[in-house]
């Protein structure tokens, strides 16, 4: 079982729709959770972090964390073609300095 | 403010050679991490340095080494290059303290091709 799992996609959504990206993790002591966006040929760019159970909203983005289910998700409202990218989920456990990344989900927003 | 800067951005080496990659963190950040990203995969942790000391090492062979300088910049060295070392090498800085998990901010990366 991989430590951080994401569906590789591609996930295709029409412009203006809500894109839902999911991530599960295996280490129950994980404390910190991050979503990154990576355009083809570029480096990862931090979208948001979440540390507590529940929802965290930032503009069109909402991160949702459920530690009991070991599940973190990212919702993108009013998806735009410019949101087309690979979205990486990253997890950090307490007591370590290592951030573990999933393989990413490729999102395609269709105009 | 300048972000994380890395150099060189692209380089081509042959098997058996050595490479040095450089990174300058965001001003005020004392932690630097190195990650390797192979095409189609997520970044894999190589090293983390904080206050010039190695704080973590990933599952990479001893051919990989790094150091952090007094100004918090960092170098990643890879000896005896193999074809499988071809990847995007990412440097990330964070405002990391003992009690703060910190968010990673990545540079643009150094794309290494080994022929």
């Amino acid at each position: 079982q991989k430590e951080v799992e994401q569906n590789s996609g591609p996930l295709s959504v029409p412009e203006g729709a809500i894109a839902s990206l999911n991530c599960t993790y295996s280490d129950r002591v994980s404390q910190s959770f991050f979503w990154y966006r990576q355009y083809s040929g570029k480096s990862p760019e931090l979208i948001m972090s979440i540390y507590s159970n529940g929802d965290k909203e930032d503009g069109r983005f909402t991160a949702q964390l459920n530690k009991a289910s070991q599940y973190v998700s990212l919702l993108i409202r009013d998806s735009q073609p410019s949101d087309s990218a690979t979205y990486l989920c990253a997890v950090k456990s307490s007591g370590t300095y290592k951030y573990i990344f999933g393989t990413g989900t490729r999102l395609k927003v269709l105009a | 403010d300048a972000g994380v800067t890395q150099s060189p951005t692209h380089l081509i080496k042959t098997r058996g050679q050595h490479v040095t990659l450089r990174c300058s963190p965001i001003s005020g950040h004392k932690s630097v991490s190195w990650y390797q990203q192979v095409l189609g995969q997520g970044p894999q942790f190589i090293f983390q340095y904080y206050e010039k000391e190695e704080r973590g090492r990933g599952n990479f062979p001893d051919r990989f080494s790094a150091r952090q300088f007094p100004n918090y910049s960092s170098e990643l060295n890879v000896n005896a290059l193999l074809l499988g070392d071809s990847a995007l090498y990412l440097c990330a800085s964070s405002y990391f303290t003992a009690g703060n998990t910190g968010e990673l901010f990545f540079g643009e990366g150094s794309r290494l091709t080994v022929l």
Side-chain angles (χ1 to χ4, degrees), chain B residues 43-77:
Chain B
Q44 296 290 314
F45 174 71
I46 310 176
F47 287 108
Q48 199 238 5
Y49 278 78
Y50 174 65
E51 287 283 17
K52 302 177 284 296
E53 290 188 12
E54 181 184 305
R55 302 294 178 131
R57 182 186 182 116
N59 189 23
F60 280 81
D62 291 343
R63 298 184 297 107
F64 289 76
S65 64
R67 54 180 174 168
Q68 187 177 31
F69 299 100
N71 66 353
Y72 303 109
S73 67
S74 178
E75 280 184 356
L76 175 70
N77 293 282

Side-chain angles (χ1 to χ4, degrees), chain A residues 32 36 38 43 49 97 99 102, chain B residues 37 48 55 101-104 107:
Chain A
S32 309
Y36 286 83
Q38 187 171 28
S43 63
S49 57
Y97 299 90
Y99 293 67
Chain B
Q37 187 176 25
Q48 199 238 5
R55 302 294 178 131
T101 54
E103 296 167 330
L104 292 181

